Structures are given as structure tokens and as C-alpha cells.
Amino acid sequence: MKGLQKVYHSYKLLSMHQSVFYSFSVVLILSHVFLSLNARTSEPIPKLNDRTYWLKEMDRMARPVMRSLAHDSLRINMPKITAPNVDNKEHRIQVQYVEVLGRVLSGISPWLALEGGDEKEVALRDQYRAWTIAGIKNALDTGARDFMAFNLGGQQLVDASFIALAFLRCPWLWENLDQMDRDKLVRSIQTTRQFRPSFSNWLLFSALNEVFFAKFGYQWDNMRIDYALRQMDQWYVGDGMYKDGPHFAYDYYNSYVIHPYLSAIKDVIKDKTTSYDVMFNKIAVRNERYAVILERLINKDGSFPPSGRSIIYRAGAFHHLADMAFKKRLPEELAPGQVRAALTAVLRKITESPYTYKSGWLTIGLYGEQLGLGDSYNNQGSPYLTSQIFLPLGLSEDDPFWSTPEVPWSAKKIWSGGQAKQDHKMVD
């Protein structure tokens, strides 16, 4: 009996040792796996170069709009969201389709006009070109689900002008529309002449539509252009800034609309008449000064003061700076690599919130979904004015904007203890 107890004790001891050994082995194996996985996950993720990053974000923003419209399903897919304090919900939803088309198209149109680039970019551009032409055809086809009427109210004067602006920035669009669709587009934009612009930056929307007609050889009303130019000149308050109507407002409308539109009008009309040469020279100088002001508003982390109405346009606050970079008109004190770095910081900031998009669509807000920041006229199409930041994608990858080294922008330089030049008002 004792012998059996000895054997049992030895067996139990051996089993215990084996169990400890197996447990230790399992711990070692799991530790190795954990350390291996941890080593892999802790490896730095390769950072995309700026252009690749911009293209990724542009695609993320524009794809739901342009792909849906090309498949005649924008009205099906696009959410029907408005600001909580909307003035007329049903109407704002009715007009959101022309609104989103104009805002996205005017932001990506310079890139659509570009040729060349690496294989992936060319393939992406070819896809967007196909979607854009198909989408515009659907927007103009009375038999399509996504047909867009331009006679639903004054807001469409605004939205038609952004479509017109897209064509001014991208003659490729005009050249690749068939004549029937060109005529439909012209008639649609002409329809908005019935709407009287408010006594504000809206004068520029009427003017720009006429510039579109002038550019592409149609009869145009010079008085609408003349009135807008003269009135804006009277509303100039100094240091590169204009009032938005009879009263000054500290918001971003100088960038959302006023400076980019004045620049677009100037670029076409200067070739039609010399009557505005003196005024156009002033506009060019003011354009430069306001670009400097905008660059200095970009904080070290890419944020910027959330001031004034329409702040849910996000990066649309830097429409003018992006436009000046695209047109290669940056003033001497703003190096291309400096502006690229600043705008990249803005783009990263406005998209880093996990609530920037919902089901693939931009939310109403500045940093994520913040419906309380919406204005009474905001709908699902409104925040897409932020796409204006993508204008420099219309420059080739070897352009100095993309190819020169990153340079710290003003706020980053100053708040890191670096040396920077003073900023002084423009005397004019």
C-alpha cells in the first residue's frame, strides 16, 4: 500500500511539474505573441506626403457627392439635415442639391483640369472626370431623379454662381460637355437673373454669373458686373478688408466670397475692357494683404478663431488663401511651402474629430458635429464650402507649392520662439 502511495505521490508531483512547465510555456508563448504584436503596432505608421494626404481627404469629402450624382442617386443618398434654427426647412432641403454640387465642384475643378501625376492620381482623376460629366448631365436632365431646378428661390443665385466659378476654374469641364448640356447649363444660370441679390456680398454672385457668360461667349450684362465692382469698392474699409454690406462684420466672408470672387471677375473682365484697370490693380494689392492676414490667423495646431457667421464652412475660411496659392499670386512674405504647411495643418485639424463625417457625409459643425453653430440658412450642402481648401491640387506635384520643403507658418514660428517679421497694416 505504501508503495502504491509512493507511486501516486511521484505521479502527482510529476504532473504538477508538467502543469507548471506547460503553464510557463503558455505564458512564454503568449508573452512572445503580445510583444511581437506590440512591436508591430508601435512601429510608426508611414506619414503620407502632403499631396497624397490632401488627395485622400478630397476623395473622402467629394466621393459621396459626385459618385451619387453620377449614378442619379444624390437625392436618395444625401441626408436631409438642416440647422436646428433653420428658417424654412422644406425649402432649404429642396435647394441643397444645387448647393452641394456648386461647392464641391468649385473646390475640385482645378484638379480636374490638371494633367499628369502618378498612376494612382491619374486613375482617381479619370474617375472623377467621368463622374462629374455624368453628374452634370443628370443635374440638367428633367427626366433624371437628380434633376436640379434653378428657379426655387434666391439661394440658387448663390449656388449657381459656385457652379459658374467651377467652370471658370476648369475650362476642361466646358470643353467636355456636349452642346446640348452647355445650352441647358446656360439657361439654368440665366434663370437666376430673376432673383434680386441682397445688398451685400450677394452682388458678387450676380456679377460672377455674368462673367461666366462673358467667358464662354454668351450675351452678358455688364451693368450687374459694374454695380458689384463699384459697390464693393465703396465698401472697402482698408488694410485689405471689405464690409459685407453697409456694416462691417468680423467674420470670414472676405475669404468665403469677397476676395476670391473679385479675383475671378478681374481675371475675365480685364481681357474684355480696360475700364477697370485702376480698380483691378487695387484689388490685386488688397488680395495680397488679405492673404497675409489669413495666414496669420492659422494657429500653431491648425485651429483658427471661430468668429462670425457661417463658421460651419470650416476650411472655407481659407478659400482666398488657397485661391492665391493656386493662382501663384502669394505675396513675397508667404513662401509656398509655408502656406502648404499652414493649410495642411488646417485640413488635419478640421478632419481629426471622429464626428466630422456621419455615414460618409460632412456634418454641420466646425470641429465635428456641432449643430448649434449652424445658421438659419444651413443645410446638408452648406459645410461643403470647405472643399475650397483643395484648390492648390490644381498645381502639379513639381510646383513649388508641393515640392519645396515645409516652412513653419507665422503662428507656429512665433509660438515656438522663432524669429519672425512684424505685421503692419497696408497703406493704400
Side-chain angles (χ1 to χ4, degrees), residues 174-243:
W174 185 257
E175 294 161 6
N176 284 273
L177 273 187
D178 60 43
Q179 190 59 49
M180 182 181 297
D181 287 319
R182 289 178 185 175
D183 292 340
K184 288 179 182 178
L185 178 62
V186 168
R187 287 196 296 271
S188 294
I189 296 176
Q190 286 173 338
T191 298
T192 65
R193 283 174 169 169
Q194 67 185 288
F195 303 120
R196 188 179 71 172
S198 63
F199 197 50
S200 65
N201 71 86
W202 277 45
L203 297 177
L204 293 170
F205 300 135
S206 289
L208 195 112
N209 287 341
E210 299 304 320
V211 169
F212 167 81
F213 300 138
K215 172 72 174 178
F216 295 109
Y218 290 82
Q219 186 177 8
W220 50 291
D221 183 355
N222 185 56
M223 284 302 296
R224 294 173 193 254
I225 297 171
D226 183 78
Y227 181 40
L229 288 174
R230 289 176 183 273
Q231 188 59 62
M232 291 308 307
D233 196 48
Q234 289 184 39
W235 284 336
Y236 181 69
V237 294
D239 205 21
M241 299 187 71
Y242 296 85
K243 292 189 293 185

Side-chain angles (χ1 to χ4, degrees), residues 19-256:
S19 177
V20 171
F21 174 75
Y22 290 147
S23 299
F24 183 67
S25 299
V26 169
V27 170
L28 280 177
I29 292 169
L30 289 175
S31 297
H32 176 73
V33 171
F34 174 77
L35 288 171
S36 176
L37 288 172
N38 190 52
R40 289 178 187 174
T41 55
S42 63
E43 288 176 1
I45 299 172
K47 184 180 178 182
L48 300 175
N49 68 48
D50 287 344
R51 186 177 182 86
T52 302
Y53 169 69
W54 280 47
L55 285 167
K56 180 177 75 71
E57 290 299 330
M58 182 213 69
D59 184 36
R60 181 187 185 192
M61 192 178 296
R63 179 173 290 261
V65 177
M66 301 311 298
R67 185 181 185 278
S68 295
L69 185 57
H71 290 84
D72 200 18
S73 58
L74 183 62
R75 290 179 186 273
I76 295 172
N77 296 333
M78 187 175 176
K80 298 173 176 58
I81 306 294
T82 63
N85 60 332
V86 65
D87 51 10
N88 186 333
K89 188 178 182 72
E90 182 180 345
H91 174 70
R92 293 298 175 185
I93 292 172
Q94 278 185 324
V95 301
Q96 72 176 12
Y97 306 105
V98 179
E99 188 162 337
V100 76
L101 173 59
R103 294 177 184 218
V104 170
L105 195 57
S106 58
I108 70 172
S109 58
W111 176 69
L112 293 177
L114 188 65
E115 299 292 345
D118 66 33
E119 187 176 343
K120 287 184 179 179
E121 182 174 344
V122 170
L124 185 65
R125 186 186 300 114
D126 287 345
Q127 178 64 84
Y128 270 89
R129 283 178 168 182
W131 282 343
T132 299
I133 296 301
I136 292 173
K137 291 179 76 70
N138 284 333
L140 298 172
D141 181 0
T142 55
R145 277 192 303 262
D146 284 337
F147 169 68
M148 299 180 187
F150 283 57
N151 60 353
L152 300 179
Q155 176 62 36
Q156 295 197 294
L157 171 62
V158 178
D159 304 330
S161 78
F162 277 102
I163 294 176
L165 182 60
F167 277 81
L168 294 180
R169 288 171 170 169
C170 180
W172 181 94
L173 286 172
W174 185 257
E175 294 161 6
N176 284 273
L177 273 187
D178 60 43
Q179 190 59 49
M180 182 181 297
D181 287 319
R182 289 178 185 175
D183 292 340
K184 288 179 182 178
L185 178 62
V186 168
R187 287 196 296 271
S188 294
I189 296 176
Q190 286 173 338
T191 298
T192 65
R193 283 174 169 169
Q194 67 185 288
F195 303 120
R196 188 179 71 172
S198 63
F199 197 50
S200 65
N201 71 86
W202 277 45
L203 297 177
L204 293 170
F205 300 135
S206 289
L208 195 112
N209 287 341
E210 299 304 320
V211 169
F212 167 81
F213 300 138
K215 172 72 174 178
F216 295 109
Y218 290 82
Q219 186 177 8
W220 50 291
D221 183 355
N222 185 56
M223 284 302 296
R224 294 173 193 254
I225 297 171
D226 183 78
Y227 181 40
L229 288 174
R230 289 176 183 273
Q231 188 59 62
M232 291 308 307
D233 196 48
Q234 289 184 39
W235 284 336
Y236 181 69
V237 294
D239 205 21
M241 299 187 71
Y242 296 85
K243 292 189 293 185
D244 184 13
H247 306 287
F248 180 77
Y250 190 76
D251 55 30
Y252 291 98
Y253 268 87
N254 268 268
S255 186
Y256 293 145

Side-chain angles (χ1 to χ4, degrees), residues 258-273:
I258 295 171
H259 277 279
Y261 270 62
L262 285 172
S263 178
I265 293 168
K266 173 178 71 69
D267 290 346
V268 174
I269 300 304
K270 67 180 176 56
D271 295 328
K272 303 291 182 181
T273 176

